[in-house]
Amino acid sequence: MNVPVLRVRTRRIPTPEHLLGYADAKSPIAWLRRDDGLVARGEVWRIDTFGADRFQDAQRQWRELVAAAEVHDEVAVPGSGLVAFGAFAFAASSSTPSTLIVPEYIVGTVGEVSFLTEIQVAADSPAFDDELAGDAPVTAAIPAPHPLGVPATTALHPGHVTEAAHRQAVTEAVARIRTGALAKVVIARDLVGTLTADADRRSVVERLHADYPETWTYCVDGLVGASPEMLGRVIDGAVTARVLAGTMPRHPNADADVRVGEDLLHSPKNREEHKYAIDSALASMSGMRQVATAADDLDGGLTASPEPFLLKLPNVWHLASDIRGTLPEDATVFDLIEALHPTAAVGGTPRDAAMRLIAELEGVDRGRYAGPVGWCSATGDGEWVIALRGAQITGNRVVAMAGGGIVASSDPAEEYAETMPKFRPIVTAFAERESN
């Protein structure tokens, strides 16, 4: 496949009042957390990959594109310059494509810096006009922002994996674990819905970001959600990852909610589940030849939180651990996410046995649920989260999934109940809301 020569320019702009106004209503691209974010529209380059080599195929074509591109970046912050947004399928056997998209425009805010990136195919467009350089008004080159239209709303109801099917799958998973076939497996279920033809998909992004500002709100190729779990982040060679495993729903009473958090922190079942996840992540990262020793690690390996800590979100408590390391100059974030995916937090351990059991017991293609979603830049930087607390929109059809880690002590009724607060962010984002 011959890649095009792209011409890229990034300039500072005044801080936009509403970033999502620059995204497309039907196919928004967004990456938001707290007051920072990237939104994009249009598509100048796209690749779809499949199978076990999907990460390497994407990386190879991305490197070819980067090598040929003409990039003029006057800002030089994470997310500026040539950037692609991507979403990868959970399983190698999935019929859902793993996709990288380079948009026409990116409007971003990182800290105190706001910027516009324009991307065009050199063969199809003239060079950027000189009069638009420097301090010229950016409004001459960027599409005008558009207010949100008809909210994207739908009631989500059980899909392929019913309550009875989920409980049966968990029961069978526990039986397999107790035979010693594996230590942990994640079993998920699905909810489905339908949007109206005029629905503005940006409303879902806006609601998720407003309700869960501490998570990473993502929207790429119809995959939308608010993930609390950073699969892998590389900025200037520094590697970070966040592992979440072990969950309890929040309690509306403040005192009782504190006790819920403490119960989670000291729960043998949840700490066992978390240990499998953190050990799996450390083993995957340590096994990467590209990962170097973290400078502040006195033991000669990757650094990790010595004990899991409580992460409080509006809907749930999580047990969390952070991992840090470094990446050499010739590696990119693709190497990292390929090594880490699927983590034990969304797959299980041992990895191969868990993946086989998931396919057998769920009986449904997960698509991009629990796969990597995020962005990468021409400099090798990138941020990729696990696609959780979200849904895939294909046409007008919505499919959401949520699951939980199953170990030998798991109870089917409790595991089904645990999925409910995990669905809450996306169910609420699609729900009808009373007008003021």
Side-chain angles (χ1 to χ4, degrees):
M1 175 181 179
N2 294 323
V3 299
V5 175
L6 299 183
R7 188 176 290 120
V8 183
R9 181 178 63 178
T10 300
R11 296 172 294 154
R12 285 178 179 261
I13 61 172
T15 301
E17 292 185 6
H18 188 214
L19 269 179
L20 282 173
Y22 295 97
D24 185 78
K26 294 296 183 182
S27 55
I29 298 174
W31 180 266
L32 308 170
R33 187 172 188 240
R34 298 173 182 162
D35 295 329
D36 290 355
L38 306 172
V39 301
R41 66 186 302 169
E43 184 177 304
V44 298
W45 181 80
R46 174 194 182 105
I47 62 163
D48 294 323
T49 63
F50 297 86
D53 295 330
R54 60 197 184 282
F55 296 102
Q56 289 303 311
D57 287 345
Q59 173 160 250
R60 175 180 52 78
Q61 294 188 54
W62 172 243
R63 280 179 162 166
E64 292 176 4
L65 190 77
V66 169
E70 303 170 8
V71 181
H72 304 278
D73 184 357
E74 301 172 10
V75 179
V77 297
S80 66
L82 177 57
V83 166
F85 296 85
F88 284 82
F90 175 77
S93 59
S94 178
S95 61
T96 301
S98 297
T99 302
L100 283 183
I101 297 171
V102 174
E104 292 180 76
Y105 300 95
I106 303 171
V107 181
T109 294
V110 177
E112 301 298 318
V113 177
S114 293
F115 58 88
L116 163 68
T117 298
E118 303 162 272
I119 306 171
Q120 59 190 29
V121 177
D124 299 337
S125 306
F128 291 115
D129 296 335
D130 291 339
E131 63 266 29
L132 294 179
D135 297 327
V138 299
T139 51
I142 188 170
H146 296 287
L148 267 60
V150 177
T153 60
T154 182
L156 297 176
H157 53 84
H160 176 86
V161 185
T162 63
E163 179 177 354
H166 183 267
R167 292 193 182 199
Q168 179 57 40
V170 172
T171 298
E172 179 60 26
V174 169
R176 301 283 186 95
I177 290 169
R178 290 177 178 173
T179 67
L182 70 169
K184 174 190 173 181
V185 65
V186 175
I187 300 297
R189 65 185 184 95
D190 58 331
L191 299 177
V192 298
T194 304
L195 300 177
T196 59
D198 59 350
D200 189 330
R201 276 75 165 160
R202 294 176 299 171
S203 67
V204 181
V205 182
E206 183 178 58
R207 289 174 173 182
L208 288 168
H209 181 53
D211 292 345
Y212 299 88
E214 293 299 318
T215 68
W216 290 268
T217 302
Y218 57 87
C219 189
V220 180
D221 203 36
L223 183 69
V224 59
S227 179
E229 190 157 0
M230 174 58 69
L231 177 63
R233 179 178 192 260
V234 177
I235 302 295
D236 293 332
V239 176
T240 57
R242 171 164 288 181
V243 176
L244 304 182
T247 307
M248 283 189 179
R250 298 286 305 279
H251 197 286
N253 178 272
D255 292 337
D257 191 46
V258 171
R259 291 194 293 272
V260 169
E262 288 300 313
D263 288 345
L264 174 62
L265 191 60
H266 299 98
S267 163
K269 181 263 181 186
N270 284 285
R271 289 186 73 95
E272 177 187 11
E273 182 185 340
H274 189 84
K275 186 177 187 302
Y276 287 133
I278 192 67
D279 287 350
S280 172
L282 285 170
S284 296
M285 293 177 76
S286 297
M288 286 179 60
R289 292 185 177 181
Q290 292 92 344
V291 175
T293 302
D296 58 346
D297 184 6
L298 302 179
D299 295 326
L302 295 161
T303 62
S305 306
E307 289 288 332
F309 59 89
L310 285 173
L311 178 65
K312 181 170 69 172
L313 297 175
N315 57 326
V316 294
W317 289 98
H318 283 299
L319 285 183
S321 293
D322 288 335
I323 301 173
R324 292 179 175 83
T326 58
L327 214 62
E329 293 181 359
D330 61 346
T332 73
V333 74
F334 286 102
D335 299 306
L336 181 65
I337 62 174
E338 181 179 19
L340 285 172
H341 176 76
T343 69
V346 294
T349 187
R351 180 183 288 180
D352 290 345
M355 292 291 280
R356 289 192 296 269
L357 192 57
I358 287 169
E360 175 187 343
L361 297 183
E362 289 181 357
V364 62
D365 185 346
R366 285 188 174 187
R368 294 163 174 163
Y369 162 70
V373 57
W375 62 269
C376 57
S377 76
T379 62
D381 291 346
E383 294 180 304
W384 295 80
V385 298
I386 300 175
L388 303 173
R389 314 295 186 264
Q392 177 71 54
I393 305 173
T394 306
N396 293 333
R397 178 175 169 81
V398 179
V399 179
M401 296 195 74
I406 312 304
V407 294
S409 59
S410 293
D411 175 82
E414 292 178 357
E415 294 299 334
Y416 180 82
E418 184 180 307
T419 63
M420 294 179 181
K422 293 179 178 179
F423 273 124
R424 189 175 304 143
I426 198 65
V427 168
T428 302
F430 279 111
E432 293 275 3
R433 296 195 178 184
E434 295 182 2
S435 59
N436 294 328

